Amino acid sequence: MTSLPVIPARPLQRAYDYIVVGAGSGGCAVARRLVDGSDATVLLIEAGASGIGVPEIYDPARWVPLGRSAYDWGYDYLATPHVNGRVIGIPRGKVLGGSSSINAMMWYRGHPMDYDAWEAAGAEGWSFRDVLPYFKLCEDWEDGKTEFRGAGGPLRIERSPALHPVAKAMLDGSPDIGIPVVDDPNGPGNEGVCYSNFNISGGRRWSSAKGYLWPILDNRRLTVLTGSLAVGLGFEGSRCISVRHLVDGDVVETRARSGIVLALGTIDTPRLLMMSGIGNPEDLKRLGVPVRLGLPGIGRNLQDHPLVQACVFRSRKPLGPVLDQGGGTMINWKSKASLPQADLHAFPVQGNSAEPRIRELYDLSGDVFSIGCGLMRSKSVGHMRLLSADPGGAVEIDPNYLAEPEDLEALVIGMEAMMELAATRAYADWFGGYLAPAKRLSRAEMVAFIRDACSTFFHTCGTCAMGKDERTVVDPRLRVHGIEGLTIADASVIPIIPTCNTHAPVTMIGERAAAFLLGTA
């Protein structure tokens, strides 16, 4: 790789106008817009490394092993009976760009109804009409600006320049099972099969770090501090005025003159709040943390999309080199015709993407391809709670997967459709038989398979939900209830999980958070 940026080594000041904690999809957007839109000084604190120049981060085909690497926080979901007692890992990026630097590079914002539901739930001013301009601000869409798409924004978005044959088979075969072709899943509707939108350009990942931060690293008003774990917040009365964070192993307290933005993500934003005495009083007392402010909604409302990993099929021939990030197309469709919008989602995998338990139960050797199938309108809601108030201490994270019978029923329907899809004419050159499941299953058998195969889309959200009632944590301008000078700009503020990957919504949230702080929204 050439022309890699360098993070200037600037001495840490005692105070900045703004401190942004967490350099993921939301934090990168906030930092960029604060620097561009004002004369403010900005400190961006990131616990992970810079990631600059790491080949695995920039090669789209090498993204999967980044989970459980040095660039991942290493979190797990709680093992529950709903998933047959299995531990499910949830990769979360610990690096500049956050999860946008280790994810599958999907740019997808779901259906307009998702955001209208946010507003109906109490997030006033977050309807699709309200958020669309901020989605467009993020985008540099390959087809240029339209009513629904943006151009010239920090994040480059492209389709696959050359689909892998198993991805093209999904595109060509879906109409045979009643799923139409849709041109753009980020348009007025998303139901159908389509090319995926990727944060990939020139065969390289286009992360939030690359898009939002790299162009402003030389700006002297921005200080980027990597390898610095936030361990607490400081207050004067009801105002948050500082961040305590580790620098070379020592705790340093840095003040903010105008405001502090938390963008540590769905797990670590509530963790930092609770460590600082803000949370459910019962939880704080259990941890021995003095209660500064009782906000019982912190850590509640955790949501994620369940993903069945996966339908695996024998391939008639070798699949060849991995193209794009191993996918290329996707499907959104309804488990029931009466639903107002698509709830099921599927994508091709150029190889074996089965969960460890499925690999134990089935012989998946040889040439194989897969289809991942999941639920984007899941009803099950869980929680996260600290088991220790120590920095980096144990945490319990439970999405409550498959607790709601409706979720399980929809996944059965989705899996059956994917097994039908693989047998269509479009797959004739590739489909060599069923491997996992090894045959068409009864409903009871399919339920058992799903419990063994259930995994995560990595779309954890909701633990500091936006709204106005006692269950929420931030108001519709993303300010923490009862605390001045403290804003949250990450997936934790999402009140209802949207029917999409969360990178695009969180980037939009970051754009809006900066606009609120700058007084332009």
Side-chain angles (χ1 to χ4, degrees):
M1 296 180 65
T2 59
S3 302
L4 290 175
V6 175
I7 299 175
R10 299 195 170 104
L12 183 65
Q13 305 299 312
R14 292 174 61 86
Y16 296 80
D17 293 318
Y18 291 99
I19 300 176
V20 181
V21 188
S25 302
C28 285
V30 173
R32 172 66 176 273
R33 298 312 186 190
L34 289 177
V35 169
D36 284 353
S38 73
D39 294 327
T41 56
V42 178
L43 171 64
L44 178 61
I45 299 173
E46 167 57 41
S50 78
I52 294 173
V54 176
E56 298 92 333
I57 289 178
Y58 297 109
D59 183 352
R62 299 168 69 181
W63 73 272
V64 173
L66 289 169
R68 290 298 189 264
S69 74
Y71 307 102
D72 170 36
W73 282 95
Y75 289 123
D76 292 318
Y77 279 148
L78 182 69
T80 71
H82 299 302
V83 294
N84 289 343
R86 293 178 302 110
V87 172
I88 298 172
I90 40 169
R92 299 283 82 200
K94 187 180 182 182
V95 62
L96 281 188
S99 294
S100 78
S101 291
I102 71 168
N103 67 4
M105 293 150 283
M106 298 286 290
W107 182 263
Y108 180 37
R109 65 190 183 213
H111 194 281
M113 292 177 68
D114 296 339
Y115 305 96
D116 293 341
W118 289 12
E119 182 165 67
E124 292 182 3
W126 289 81
S127 71
F128 182 69
R129 180 179 178 180
D130 295 313
V131 303
L132 177 59
Y134 296 90
F135 274 122
K136 294 172 72 173
L137 275 177
C138 307
E139 295 185 335
D140 186 20
W141 172 229
E142 67 172 358
D143 285 354
K145 187 175 181 179
T146 70
E147 179 185 358
F148 288 91
R149 304 306 300 267
L155 295 180
R156 182 65 179 170
I157 304 161
E158 300 180 5
R159 303 180 187 90
S160 171
L163 282 179
H164 190 281
V166 297
K168 190 173 188 306
M170 174 172 278
L171 189 70
D172 294 342
S174 292
D176 288 350
I177 63 169
I179 298 173
V181 176
V182 63
D183 177 62
D184 183 3
N186 291 310
N190 64 356
E191 187 173 356
V193 62
C194 56
Y195 277 75
S196 297
N197 283 197
F198 291 134
N199 291 125
I200 299 174
S201 184
R204 296 290 182 182
R205 176 191 296 272
W206 198 287
S207 69
S208 292
K210 176 179 173 65
Y212 278 95
L213 289 186
W214 287 14
I216 60 169
L217 286 176
D218 289 334
N219 191 305
R220 297 195 64 83
R221 291 185 289 107
L222 173 68
T223 299
V224 177
L225 181 63
T226 58
S228 183
L229 178 70
V231 297
L233 301 172
F235 301 87
E236 286 182 357
S238 63
R239 184 173 186 84
C240 186
I241 51 92
S242 66
V243 178
R244 295 191 301 277
H245 54 112
L246 299 180
V247 178
D248 297 326
D250 296 323
V251 177
V252 173
E253 185 166 14
T254 307
R255 295 176 66 93
R257 289 181 284 263
S258 297
I260 293 169
V261 180
L262 303 184
L264 302 88
T266 298
I267 299 165
D268 284 293
T269 284
R271 179 202 288 272
L272 185 60
L273 289 169
M274 287 188 273
M275 289 171 59
S276 305
I278 303 172
N280 186 316
E282 293 181 2
D283 291 340
L284 297 177
K285 290 174 184 176
R286 172 178 50 82
L287 295 166
V289 176
V291 179
R292 172 168 290 277
L293 178 66
L295 281 179
I298 290 177
R300 306 298 192 265
N301 193 51
L302 187 144
Q303 300 162 66
D304 191 6
H305 297 127
L307 167 64
V308 181
Q309 286 275 74
C311 285
V312 185
F313 310 97
R314 174 73 60 209
S315 179
R316 291 184 180 274
K317 52 190 174 182
L319 273 70
V322 174
L323 301 182
D324 304 310
Q325 39 64 292
T329 51
M330 67 178 189
I331 312 173
N332 303 295
W333 81 109
K334 296 177 181 178
S335 60
K336 297 178 183 178
S338 60
L339 292 175
Q341 65 185 100
D343 61 332
L344 291 169
H345 178 87
F347 54 90
V349 180
Q350 300 160 31
N352 179 8
S353 67
E355 274 287 283
R357 180 58 177 154
I358 298 302
R359 295 172 192 246
E360 293 172 359
L361 293 172
Y362 298 87
D363 179 4
L364 305 181
S365 59
D367 296 316
V368 304
F369 65 93
S370 310
I371 298 177
C373 177
L375 183 61
M376 289 284 180
R377 293 195 73 200
S378 45
K379 302 292 194 306
S380 300
V381 175
H383 68 273
M384 66 82 64
R385 67 186 189 116
L386 298 190
L387 303 179
S388 166
D390 295 333
V395 61
E396 179 181 282
I397 314 164
D398 181 9
N400 212 17
Y401 278 151
L402 310 183
E404 296 294 333
E406 288 180 63
D407 289 357
L408 198 53
E409 189 61 34
L411 286 170
V412 168
I413 293 169
M415 287 288 289
E416 290 173 343
M418 292 305 94
M419 295 186 75
E420 183 181 353
L421 173 65
T424 60
R425 291 171 295 174
Y427 282 91
D429 291 340
W430 296 94
F431 177 62
Y434 299 110
L435 287 181
K439 60 183 179 65
R440 301 299 290 268
L441 302 178
S442 68
R443 184 191 179 283
E445 291 170 330
M446 187 64 85
V447 166
F449 182 89
I450 289 169
R451 293 197 191 281
D452 280 329
C454 183
S455 185
T456 172
F457 273 102
F458 324 136
H459 299 165
T460 316
C461 67
T463 51
C464 295
M466 171 174 30
K468 294 184 174 181
D469 64 33
E470 68 281 355
R471 297 169 297 177
T472 64
V473 178
V474 299
D475 69 16
R477 295 184 74 83
L478 303 177
R479 299 169 297 200
V480 175
H481 295 315
I483 299 289
E484 299 172 35
L486 188 59
T487 293
I488 300 179
D490 58 33
S492 71
V493 306
I494 291 174
I496 301 171
I497 192 167
T499 57
C500 58
N501 308 78
T502 47
H503 171 49
V506 173
T507 309
M508 175 273 291
I509 288 167
E511 290 274 4
R512 295 207 83 194
F516 293 146
L517 292 168
L518 293 170
T520 58

